[in-house]
């Protein structure tokens, strides 16, 4: 249990596997109630968490998720849902463009905007709120084959910063969590593949998010950047 997280209500997107599922487990173990969403939640169970079907690209689905989260008294949203795709510029099809941008950028926008009225109402009642956006270590640099993914993460980062500016007026603390390579299902891979043995574990990123959520209300963690030690040192 964690005194700062006891009794908190946290909404997590992309919660069916990878970083999101590790975060749900960490949050419930720390005493928080979790509203967890992803497209495939059948059979996914964590005591203390409510799993709901959620497609972050779909306004109707997002509104239903946000309504349930608001009714539960959510005080923090973690926009973690995301997809990765890596190819040279000439191979980026319009379909693939929409899949990646709609999930990573529009998805973050839709879920966040659906909960802002609730966060503003909390502020009016003297309560603060938090948004944590899981972007990427490459949310401000790029590389060959990275055009589409990094464009989406640059966009998500820009939205994170703008929200931080706006949210300061209504008691919203905003954090960007920028992780390097993590051993998940990301970009069509499988956990445990041998080349990922020394990458971050989903629990490592979950711990970073947990830290941002558990600091006292006087502290705002603007950004956390973490990498596996095997990844080349890279600063913006
Ligand atoms: O990936 P994965 P990660 N609506 O594939 C969900 C960032 N990141 O945990 O919908 C709702 O294991 C999907 O669930 P489902 C990355 O950009 C990672 O690594 O059932 N949910 C699943 O729960 C992303 O933002 C690395 O398919 C949707 C989850 O998202 C975040 O970390 C490096 C959805 C993805 O789980 C979590 O990714 C980095 C939708 N439309 C940043 N589409 C890395 N792993 O190396 C997908 O820099 N999901």
């Amino acid at each position: 249990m964690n005194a700062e997280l006891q009794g908190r209500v946290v909404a997590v997107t992309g919660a069916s596997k990878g970083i999101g599922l590790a975060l749900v487990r960490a949050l419930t173990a720390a005493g928080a109630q979790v509203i967890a969403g992803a497209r495939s939640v059948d059979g996914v169970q964590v005591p203390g968490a409510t799993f709901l079907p959620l497609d972050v690209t779909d306004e109707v689905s997002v509104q239903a998720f946000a309504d349930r989260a608001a009714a539960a008294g959510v005080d923090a949203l973690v926009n973690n849902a995301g997809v990765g795709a890596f190819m040279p510029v000439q191979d980026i099809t319009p379909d693939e463009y929409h899949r990646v941008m709609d999930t990573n950028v529009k998805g973050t926008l839709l879920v966040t905007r659906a909960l802002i009225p609730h966060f503003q109402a909390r502020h009016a009642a003297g309560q603060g709120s938090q948004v944590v956006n899981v972007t990427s270590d490459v949310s401000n640099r790029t590389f060959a084959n990275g055009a589409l993914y990094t464009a989406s993460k640059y966009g998500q980062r820009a939205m994170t910063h703008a929200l931080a500016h706006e949210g300061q007026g209504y008691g919203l603390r905003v954090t960007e969590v920028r992780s390097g390579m993590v051993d998940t299902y990301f970009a069509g891979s499988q956990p445990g593949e041998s080349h990922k043995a020394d990458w971050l574990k989903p629990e490592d990123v979950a711990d970073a998010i947990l830290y941002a959520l558990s600091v006292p209300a006087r502290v705002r963690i603007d950004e956390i950047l973490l990498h596996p030690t095997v990844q080349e040192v890279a600063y913006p």
Side-chain angles (χ1 to χ4, degrees), residues 14 16 19 39-40 54-56 80 136 149 153 179 182 184-185:
S16 60
I19 295 166
R39 291 167 303 178
S40 310
L54 168 68
D55 181 347
V56 297
N80 166 74
S136 177
Y149 181 67
K153 292 294 172 175
S179 164
V182 194
T184 65
Y185 294 86

Side-chain angles (χ1 to χ4, degrees), residues 39-222:
R39 291 167 303 178
S40 310
V41 290
D42 282 357
V44 189
Q45 289 181 341
V46 175
T50 302
F51 281 87
L52 301 172
L54 168 68
D55 181 347
V56 297
T57 70
D58 181 287
E59 262 188 273
V60 174
S61 173
V62 166
Q63 194 59 55
F65 178 79
D67 288 348
R68 287 284 296 272
V74 66
D75 59 66
L77 164 66
V78 180
N79 285 305
N80 166 74
V83 291
F86 300 92
M87 70 283 280
V89 170
Q90 69 270 23
D91 291 346
I92 301 171
T93 62
D95 280 354
E96 198 59 354
Y97 173 87
H98 285 299
R99 186 178 75 89
V100 174
M101 297 299 278
D102 282 3
T103 308
N104 298 355
V105 186
K106 183 180 155 192
T108 299
L109 167 66
L110 291 182
V111 183
T112 305
R113 73 192 281 274
L115 279 170
I116 285 175
H118 171 75
F119 292 147
Q120 290 176 329
R122 283 179 55 81
H123 179 60
Q127 297 167 317
S129 305
Q130 288 186 263
V131 169
V132 177
N133 287 344
V134 179
T135 65
S136 177
D137 62 329
V138 292
S139 65
N140 69 347
R141 62 186 174 86
T142 194
F143 50 89
N145 296 328
L148 178 55
Y149 181 67
T150 59
S152 76
K153 292 294 172 175
Y154 272 63
Q156 200 185 10
R157 175 173 168 87
M159 201 176 297
T160 307
H161 289 187
L163 181 69
H165 284 290
E166 296 166 13
Q168 192 167 29
Y170 53 90
L172 185 71
R173 291 179 290 157
V174 179
T175 304
E176 181 183 7
V177 171
R178 307 176 58 204
S179 164
M181 301 178 307
V182 194
D183 183 13
T184 65
Y185 294 86
F186 184 67
S189 65
Q190 291 295 316
E193 289 173 354
S194 56
H195 69 282
K196 304 200 291 185
D198 294 326
W199 290 15
L200 296 176
K201 304 294 177 209
E203 292 75 17
D204 299 326
V205 186
D207 282 348
I209 299 167
L210 218 67
Y211 172 68
L213 291 174
S214 60
V215 291
R218 66 177 176 276
V219 182
R220 184 187 68 237
I221 305 296
D222 299 298

